[in-house]
Amino acid sequence: MGFCYQKNFFNPTLPVDEAQFWALVRATKWNEAIDKFRETGDQKLKRGLPAFIFQATFDETESKKGIVGAWRKQAATRLSGLVVMDIDHIDDPMAVFDSWQGSHGWSRILLVYITPSGKGLKVVFKADPKEGNLIDNQHSMAKILGVKVDESCKDASRMSFICKESDILFINDELFTYENKEFAKKYEPDYRANHSGATKSDNLASKAAVEGAGNVGQVDGEPVSIKWCGYDVQRIIDQRYADKLPCADDSNRHKESLKLATDLLLMLDGDKQTVQKVVEAQSWVQEIIDERNENVSQTVDSAADCVAQKEKKYASSLPSKAMLEAIQGFTGKTYQEITKGTKASPAALADDDMARWLWDWGEQIEAMFEVYPILQDICKGLKRNQYPAALFVAGGLMMTLMTRCTYRFYHRPEELRRLNNSTLIIGDPASGKSFATRLYKLLAAPIVYADKVGKDAINAYREQMRTKGANKEKPKKPKVVVRIHPARTSNAQFIQDMVNSVEEVDGEMMQLHMLTFDTELDNTLNLQKGGAYIDKQSLQLKAFHNEEDGQAYSNNDSIFQEFFVVWNYIYTGTPIALKKMVNEQNFGSGLATRLTCIPLPATNFEMMERESKVDFESDGRLKAWAFKLDKMKGLLSVDKIVDELYDWTARRMMDAKENESKADEMLLKRCAYHGLNFSAPFIVMRHWDQLKQDGDFWYGEFETDDTDWRLAELIVNIQYACQRHYFGAMAETYFDNKLRDANVNLRRNQKTVEGFNRLPDEFTTDDVMRCFNLQTESAVWVKISRFQKDRLIEKEEKVVVNGKTKVKYRKIGTMF
């Protein structure tokens, strides 16, 4: 008696008793594996766990003969009469479990535990032959408990990974001795023949949408076929395996079933139930089911994990090459031609999509080398898929050089806008982020040179302060301009220098941009926690729109005044550092949409191009342009680019509306600023010959064209795609949580308000009695009197109703 277990997926089925059950759930090895799986999500850890098969039991007489193996092939095994039901994707399993207490189906439940993921519940209960087979019993119990059935648990060989003892929420000792021979006798022949579908008419109807691939299932006597974009999925699969069907001689049939499941999940929008039915319908899959008790539902789960984790061995954003060729061979069209425009792009783009897009953007940047020659110097020594990162680092530095320039935007055009950027280059360690240092040294040279004067003055002052005696007259601290600040800068020093960095431009005082460049965002954030950096998140938020801030401290070293935050910063760092900076907890602050986050691709074991000589001419051109841009001033004539960006934003807003995506709407709104700010320096350099010189400075109007818009459009497209890539999922979660919290905080209207709202605009005492459910005339007059004193109603006139004189009243106010 008792149920069964398998040590792992490919081991034979063995009997297990009560002592073995408790030994397994208490074993330190498996407890640690479950904890590690919850921490990392590594599916290999879960697949390595032992698993119970509650639905099967061993005949003691037969089992003594030592016949063990796949349970369908053994005379020693039979149905136990236990049913297993999975409830997946639960944020709070305990709350769900607590809600079941006292339900009338509780007497049949023998075991409830939290699954290894920590986000699901496993329920083991007694089968009732009157309800039908295993899946029928699941549907019946699901209705009682108010949950949704996982159709993949229908099979009698379904394995249930073990749990920790602490995850067991309920257990009845009858679990170890229970057996329902009536149920086994009635349904075991069907399960040994691999027939496990629902038998109840209502359950069959609910499954009609997912039944069959080709002629897998029938509804009302008619075969049901699965369609993908209007094409029969089974015929596409037949095309794929037309040359060679996986057979017994092929040792990789399980892997092939995993590949097929992965392809189908990508094609059928992750519908695991449908995919399982299609895979099970293949004759060669049926063979491995019979030969070694292949569990197709677990194969589909593994494929879903591959898709979710983007394991390149089996999954990418597109189906496999074999499936793509089969689709084209059967339909005469490519996968891209069929799917173009049929699916909305997800908010968070997949890593492999981004990798492909980086190459495409790099090619577009390279195509602009002729019209924007400076781009070739910026991208020197880099691969094409690194060009986007180089473009944004250079753009951020050059717009900081153009700190004396302004423009007008379509939102509040009366305000003069500044060229602001908050740039993060995100890549794995040793992915080539050091290119940014080269650009910084060359393009920030004018600011570094100007800062040297201020830094020398401050250091001289501090030296005098150290050498002066206690009674000596102290020197006056000089007021200097220092614009570049490292990550290790106190807020007091930073704000003092920002307030001092003011210059007269065309007769008006203008605050110049501060600049921070650091190659280690991870270190910057650690310094922030350690106190040396001192939290600058407030300043980071306000920098993008140059918002007003201020401070009022009692110490003598701190300035006491309001100021505008004019600060551009560029960091390079890892995805982990970005996660620390922007995460689900602080996403609502708005920092994410202010950031320009550009990914650096993985190197994929490829060497960089070996440089045999130093290109001094290229470095010289970059530095020369830096000193020119540092002398640029005035209002930029980019109105046509602003108009194009407005139209671009309107089109993307229509897309977001069609997709009903508030996440896309949020991530979209600031993209136009990024498109203009980063393209402005390149546009100015292209039209430099149209500018005029005023002493040391350059200014003037120029005419932008389609070439300039092409660059701005490329930049704004990159920004929008990267926003969705890094923050799309967080934005979706933000709005989901916001809606959930709003529902929780929704206050139910009081009876008085509801009754008043039910009253017509003009009413009589009869209406008051009916709407407030009052029983006596006196209660009606009390209610009317209160409404009159609160100026909610007024008496209008007397009317005759059914021979009786009634007073008519009219609403003149609103009750809250």
Side-chain angles (χ1 to χ4, degrees):
M1 300 289 283
F3 46 91
C4 311
Y5 94 106
Q6 284 182 270
K7 186 175 180 180
N8 59 46
F9 187 77
F10 296 106
N11 279 48
T13 307
L14 300 169
V16 62
D17 57 20
E18 183 174 0
Q20 290 171 309
F21 172 86
W22 288 113
L24 284 167
V25 299
R26 290 168 179 166
T28 303
K29 176 182 178 181
W30 306 128
N31 279 217
E32 290 177 349
I34 291 172
D35 290 338
K36 191 68 174 177
F37 168 57
R38 290 177 181 176
E39 179 182 343
T40 65
D42 185 353
Q43 294 295 322
K44 293 179 182 178
L45 292 168
K46 185 178 80 169
R47 290 194 287 268
L49 294 172
F52 299 120
I53 304 177
F54 294 103
Q55 302 93 318
T57 187
F58 270 75
D59 182 278
E60 292 183 3
T61 304
E62 293 289 342
S63 64
K64 288 176 182 178
K65 298 177 183 179
I67 305 172
V68 293
W71 84 269
R72 278 202 189 95
K73 300 292 184 181
Q74 306 175 61
T77 55
R78 61 173 178 268
L79 287 179
S80 64
L82 293 175
V83 186
V84 176
M85 185 167 66
D86 274 344
I87 301 96
D88 294 326
H89 311 299
I90 306 172
D91 291 331
D92 190 351
M94 281 298 302
V96 175
F97 172 73
D98 290 340
S99 69
W100 296 342
Q101 305 301 319
S103 63
H104 66 273
W106 192 254
S107 60
R108 293 169 58 192
I109 295 176
L110 300 179
L111 174 66
V112 181
Y113 67 80
I114 299 173
T115 58
S117 69
K119 297 292 184 181
L121 287 172
K122 189 82 67 174
V123 183
V124 182
F125 60 96
K126 301 176 186 177
D128 184 348
K130 296 178 183 177
E131 294 288 348
N133 64 6
L134 292 177
I135 189 64
D136 294 323
N137 271 268
Q138 287 183 27
H139 279 287
S140 173
M141 182 60 74
K143 290 178 181 178
I144 293 172
L145 300 181
V147 295
K148 185 179 179 182
V149 174
D150 181 351
E151 298 279 351
S152 63
C153 296
K154 66 179 183 180
D155 192 17
S157 62
R158 174 74 174 185
M159 297 196 306
S160 302
F161 290 111
I162 69 168
C163 64
K164 301 191 297 182
E165 182 181 15
S166 59
D167 288 334
I168 296 176
L169 305 181
F170 173 81
I171 188 167
N172 187 322
D173 290 342
E174 193 179 356
L175 172 74
F176 304 105
T177 58
Y178 181 79
E179 184 178 8
N180 190 326
K181 293 182 179 180
E182 178 189 354
F183 181 85
K185 182 179 180 180
K186 184 175 182 179
Y187 293 107
E188 188 167 316
D190 289 337
Y191 283 104
R192 290 195 182 275
N194 196 32
H195 299 149
S196 54
T199 62
K200 296 286 187 177
S201 59
D202 57 338
N203 294 339
L204 280 168
S206 68
K207 291 172 25 174
V210 297
E211 192 69 60
N215 293 338
V216 173
Q218 293 187 340
V219 177
D220 296 332
E222 294 295 326
V224 178
S225 98
I226 300 299
K227 299 289 186 182
W228 169 76
C229 295
Y231 296 100
D232 190 297
V233 170
Q234 185 59 46
R235 297 185 67 183
I236 294 174
I237 296 174
D238 293 341
Q239 175 78 23
R240 172 173 176 168
Y241 296 111
D243 296 331
K244 182 184 178 183
L245 198 66
C247 60
D249 296 332
D250 186 357
S251 61
N252 291 320
R253 285 181 301 170
H254 170 71
K255 290 184 179 179
E256 193 59 43
S257 68
L258 180 62
K259 291 180 183 179
L260 176 60
T262 302
D263 286 342
L264 293 174
L265 284 168
L266 291 166
M267 294 167 63
L268 301 175
D269 295 328
D271 187 341
K272 293 200 292 185
Q273 295 178 18
T274 303
V275 169
Q276 180 177 337
K277 293 186 177 298
V278 176
V279 175
E280 286 178 342
Q282 310 310 309
S283 60
W284 52 276
V285 175
Q286 284 293 325
E287 290 174 3
I288 55 177
I289 289 175
D290 293 335
E291 288 173 12
R292 64 177 189 182
N293 195 24
E294 175 86 353
N295 193 321
V296 178
S297 64
Q298 289 194 342
T299 301
V300 174
D301 287 342
S302 298
D305 295 334
C306 290
V307 172
Q309 297 177 18
K310 300 301 172 186
E311 292 179 0
K312 292 187 180 295
K313 187 174 182 181
Y314 294 131
S316 67
S317 60
L318 296 175
S320 66
K321 181 180 178 182
M323 183 60 84
L324 293 176
E325 290 174 350
I327 290 171
Q328 188 165 2
F330 174 66
T331 66
K333 299 179 183 179
T334 65
Y335 178 88
Q336 290 84 350
E337 288 173 338
I338 295 172
T339 58
K340 185 177 181 181
T342 62
K343 296 180 181 179
S345 298
L349 301 173
D351 287 342
D352 47 355
D353 285 338
M354 180 54 69
R356 189 175 67 252
W357 285 27
L358 286 171
W359 283 109
D360 180 57
W361 293 332
E363 290 176 3
Q364 293 184 56
I365 293 170
E366 186 177 48
M368 296 182 184
F369 281 179
E370 186 175 346
V371 289
Y372 297 103
I374 193 68
L375 284 173
Q376 193 163 357
D377 296 318
I378 289 169
C379 300
K380 186 190 73 170
L382 301 176
K383 300 173 186 175
R384 277 196 195 93
N385 59 350
Q386 295 173 317
Y387 288 0
L391 168 65
F392 278 86
V393 171
L397 291 168
M398 290 190 295
M399 75 172 75
T400 306
L401 294 170
M402 295 171 58
T403 185
R404 300 168 184 87
C405 297
T406 58
Y407 67 92
R408 297 190 187 277
F409 198 63
Y410 58 73
H411 176 57
R412 293 206 300 268
E414 68 276 7
E415 294 183 14
L416 289 176
R417 307 283 179 168
R418 305 289 295 275
L419 297 173
N420 304 315
N421 80 95
S422 307
T423 304
L424 304 181
I425 304 300
I426 304 300
D428 296 326
S431 59
K433 297 188 290 292
S434 60
F435 79 89
T437 303
R438 167 186 174 257
L439 294 176
Y440 170 73
K441 288 181 178 178
L442 295 172
L443 294 175
I447 307 177
V448 173
Y449 179 78
D451 279 1
K452 189 175 185 305
V453 177
K455 289 179 179 179
D456 289 345
I458 290 294
N459 287 331
Y461 161 75
R462 290 179 177 175
E463 182 64 27
Q464 291 180 39
M465 290 291 290
R466 283 193 296 269
T467 56
K468 289 284 184 180
N471 297 321
K472 299 291 185 179
E473 184 179 349
K474 302 296 183 183
K476 185 177 180 180
K477 185 176 181 179
K479 188 175 182 179
V480 298
V481 174
V482 177
R483 294 169 56 193
I484 294 180
H485 286 77
R488 197 188 304 273
T489 302
S490 70
N491 275 349
Q493 184 66 53
F494 182 84
I495 293 171
Q496 180 69 67
D497 289 342
M498 184 162 56
V499 171
N500 290 345
S501 296
V502 177
E503 185 178 297
E504 185 176 338
V505 179
D506 292 336
E508 294 186 8
M509 301 306 293
M510 177 176 278
Q511 195 172 326
L512 307 182
H513 275 91
M514 309 295 283
L515 174 64
T516 297
F517 173 82
D518 197 283
T519 57
E520 298 294 341
L521 177 60
D522 309 67
N523 181 57
T524 296
L525 296 175
N526 289 334
L527 287 174
Q528 173 181 352
K529 290 183 178 179
Y533 176 66
I534 308 178
D535 190 359
K536 287 187 172 60
Q537 190 177 49
S538 174
L539 294 172
Q540 289 171 343
L541 280 168
K542 296 188 175 184
F544 189 77
H545 291 301
N546 305 134
E547 296 172 66
E548 190 174 14
D549 204 344
Q551 69 176 16
Y553 297 134
S554 59
N555 64 75
N556 293 328
D557 294 329
S558 297
I559 62 166
F560 181 12
Q561 70 175 74
E562 289 72 38
F563 54 86
F564 293 96
V565 182
V566 185
W567 176 34
N568 287 345
Y569 52 90
I570 302 171
Y571 297 121
T572 66
T574 64
I576 294 175
L578 176 61
K579 188 71 173 178
K580 292 179 182 177
M581 192 171 186
V582 181
N583 49 57
E584 289 83 356
Q585 284 70 41
N586 64 16
F587 182 78
S589 70
L591 179 60
T593 55
R594 291 168 164 86
L595 295 175
T596 303
C597 297
I598 307 299
L600 264 181
T603 54
N604 294 324
F605 310 104
E606 296 179 5
M607 293 292 291
M608 300 171 62
E609 291 185 11
R610 182 168 182 173
E611 299 180 44
S612 57
K613 62 179 182 178
V614 179
D615 188 351
F616 291 108
E617 292 183 0
S618 175
D619 292 356
R621 285 191 294 269
L622 284 172
K623 188 174 285 189
W625 270 115
F627 278 94
K628 286 184 179 180
L629 293 175
D630 189 49
K631 297 300 181 181
M632 182 69 191
K633 70 172 183 177
L635 181 67
L636 300 177
S637 51
V638 290
D639 293 345
K640 287 186 178 179
I641 303 297
V642 172
D643 292 341
E644 293 282 6
L645 286 168
Y646 180 86
D647 293 340
W648 180 93
T649 305
R651 293 193 297 274
R652 299 294 78 74
M653 196 67 75
M654 290 175 65
D655 293 340
K657 183 178 180 180
E658 288 177 8
N659 298 331
E660 296 182 351
S661 175
K662 288 185 176 293
D664 282 355
E665 180 190 15
M666 171 192 279
L667 298 176
L668 167 66
K669 287 182 176 178
R670 288 194 174 101
C671 286
Y673 289 106
H674 299 265
L676 184 57
N677 292 351
F678 282 96
S679 63
F682 298 97
I683 294 172
V684 167
M685 285 187 281
R686 181 167 177 260
H687 298 283
W688 193 263
D689 59 342
Q690 300 177 37
L691 302 182
K692 301 175 183 178
Q693 193 166 7
D694 179 14
D696 293 334
F697 291 92
W698 294 83
Y699 74 101
E701 295 185 2
F702 48 86
E703 190 75 20
T704 58
D705 53 24
D706 287 341
T707 300
D708 299 317
W709 166 238
R710 271 177 47 219
L711 176 63
E713 184 182 30
L714 173 61
I715 290 173
V716 76
N717 282 331
I718 294 174
Q719 169 64 11
Y720 186 36
C722 291
Q723 282 277 296
R724 299 170 80 191
H725 175 70
Y726 284 116
F727 308 123
M730 288 187 207
E732 295 286 0
T733 302
Y734 169 81
F735 283 105
D736 288 344
N737 292 342
K738 178 182 174 183
L739 182 62
R740 183 187 64 197
D741 294 342
N743 288 335
V744 170
N745 294 327
L746 190 64
R747 184 172 180 268
R748 186 176 61 84
N749 279 338
Q750 297 176 342
K751 291 181 179 179
T752 306
V753 177
E754 291 174 349
F756 186 82
N757 291 339
R758 284 195 294 266
L759 282 174
D761 289 339
E762 293 184 347
F763 58 91
T764 65
T765 55
D766 293 339
D767 295 319
V768 176
M769 181 173 287
R770 173 178 53 81
C771 293
F772 287 92
N773 195 25
L774 301 177
Q775 305 300 320
T776 63
E777 289 285 345
S778 60
V780 171
W781 289 113
V782 169
K783 186 73 70 177
I784 289 175
S785 175
R786 283 169 49 196
F787 288 161
Q788 286 180 309
K789 290 179 179 178
D790 291 332
R791 296 187 181 87
L792 295 174
I793 64 174
E794 66 179 8
K795 186 187 294 185
E796 242 189 1
E797 58 183 1
K798 293 182 179 181
V799 294
V800 178
V801 179
N802 296 328
K804 295 183 179 181
T805 302
K806 301 282 187 180
V807 178
K808 183 180 286 188
Y809 298 89
R810 183 170 64 89
K811 287 183 178 180
I812 58 172
T814 302
M815 178 173 285
F816 299 101

